[in-house]
Amino acid sequence: MKEVILVLASFAASLVEMVEALTIVLAVGITKGWKTAMAATATALGVLAAIIILFGPLISKMPLPLLRVIVGTLLLVFGLQWLRKAILRASGWKALHDEEQIFQDEVAALGGIAAVSRIDGAGFAVAFKGVLLEGLEVAFIVVTFGATQHRVGLAALGAASAAVLVVLIGFVVHRPLSKIPENALKMVVGVLLTSFGMFWAAEGLNARWPGGDVALLGIIVWIGLTTGALIVLLRTKRVAVTT
Amino acid sequence: MSEKKSFWLKKVYDALFEFFIGDDWVLALGAVMVLGLTALVSNVIVSWWVVILGVPLVLWYSLRRAT
């Protein structure tokens, strides 16, 4: 069961981040040429691979209780960030992530459509930064999530599947993927990261969960219900403020 | 320290802060405090409920600040 959740969480997290990265790469490709966009993407992916190769085995060698406390704390903080943003968006307090708008903004910032055949410095920097920063979040989730269960390969499989899917769709449509329910995915990942973070960090700190590993399912349900309740609460508050 | 070096150090610090702490540092601090409290009481009493109640409370407080 934990393995299925692991793959799903890695897949969903990667899907969200890769859609964001694809939007930036498409904007650079259309405005500054595909050579620039591809070179920047390949370089950023190389840097990401180096980070995973360097830190993956290092994390896996830590004693398990210490690993659980460190990774659990990081996942909890990270998951709460995602959850906070997703709740604010779902309740109308923050604008929804609009890939179409981001795409148009990036195109405008890069000086409109005027593709060139050589590698463009500014375009390279924008695409490299976009892929690296979005990819870092995926790498972080894959390495920490996978390492704690000694299943980095399985987590990487989830991430790679999402990458293939996004690249294929991007290749076919050549437009930002605005139809993906990004906020809902972000919320699901936020719930999972927060739940895993709570479970592992508390276990590493000597707290004994009732029912052992099964408690994880209970935590996921609890955080899911809390998220739903907070959305309802904030929607009500927003209606009261605006009327 | 040269101006260029401090500029890049600040850039790295900002990127790390944005990556790990995000929009609300109170949320990160609150989560760490909940875990700290769990560690403190875990050898004395059953402590899992501290995390179960503490984390949603911290999230609620952070959202309350934002709205």
Side-chain angles (χ1 to χ4, degrees), chain B residues 28-52:
Chain B
L29 180 68
V32 172
M33 280 172 68
V34 168
L35 293 178
L37 186 64
T38 308
L40 274 178
V41 299
S42 64
N43 288 327
V44 188
I45 53 166
V46 175
S47 59
W48 57 267
W49 59 269
V50 178
V51 189
I52 286 290

Side-chain angles (χ1 to χ4, degrees), chain A:
Chain A
M1 186 65 193
K2 273 208 287 191
E3 282 80 7
V4 177
I5 298 173
L6 175 75
V7 176
L8 278 180
S10 303
F11 179 83
S14 306
L15 196 66
V16 171
E17 296 304 329
M18 279 162 192
V19 164
E20 291 179 16
L22 178 72
T23 305
I24 298 168
V25 171
L26 282 174
V28 171
I30 287 169
T31 53
K32 301 292 177 188
W34 293 105
K35 201 172 172 181
T36 300
M38 290 302 125
T41 304
T43 313
L45 289 178
V47 173
L48 280 174
I51 290 171
I52 293 172
I53 290 166
L54 198 74
F55 289 105
L58 207 74
I59 288 177
S60 303
K61 280 191 183 121
M62 275 184 178
L64 200 59
L66 179 67
L67 180 72
R68 285 189 165 160
V69 173
I70 294 173
V71 168
T73 307
L74 288 173
L75 282 180
L76 178 59
V77 171
F78 215 63
L80 282 173
Q81 268 187 59
W82 279 46
L83 213 47
R84 180 180 183 274
K85 256 185 214 162
I87 291 172
L88 285 172
R89 283 184 177 135
S91 57
W93 285 91
K94 199 176 166 105
L96 284 171
H97 212 82
D98 186 349
E99 297 302 335
E100 190 69 45
Q101 188 57 50
I102 292 168
F103 176 76
Q104 299 300 346
D105 291 347
E106 289 287 354
V107 168
L110 287 163
I113 298 171
V116 285
S117 57
R118 62 186 167 74
I119 288 182
D120 177 86
F124 184 93
V126 170
F128 176 78
K129 199 174 146 193
V131 175
L132 186 70
L133 290 184
E134 304 301 345
L136 265 181
E137 292 197 34
V138 175
F140 174 78
I141 291 168
V142 167
V143 170
T144 53
F145 230 57
T148 319
Q149 291 186 55
H150 296 294
R151 291 275 203 279
V152 178
L154 215 54
L157 180 75
S161 314
V164 170
L165 184 70
V166 170
V167 169
L168 278 179
I169 297 173
F171 192 72
V172 174
V173 298
H174 264 229
R175 296 208 47 79
L177 309 181
S178 52
K179 294 274 185 279
I180 296 233
E182 208 181 318
N183 201 51
L185 280 175
K186 207 154 198 163
M187 200 177 299
V188 171
V189 177
V191 168
L192 291 177
L193 293 184
T194 304
S195 305
F196 270 94
M198 286 165 71
F199 181 78
W200 280 325
E203 233 184 28
L205 294 168
N206 270 337
R208 296 281 159 263
W209 288 104
D213 283 359
V214 181
L216 181 60
L217 290 176
I219 300 172
I220 292 172
V221 172
W222 169 243
I223 294 299
L225 288 174
T226 305
T227 302
L230 284 169
I231 292 171
V232 172
L233 196 75
L234 291 187
R235 273 189 189 155
T236 314
K237 190 176 175 183
R238 190 168 155 75
V239 170
V241 168
T242 49
T243 52

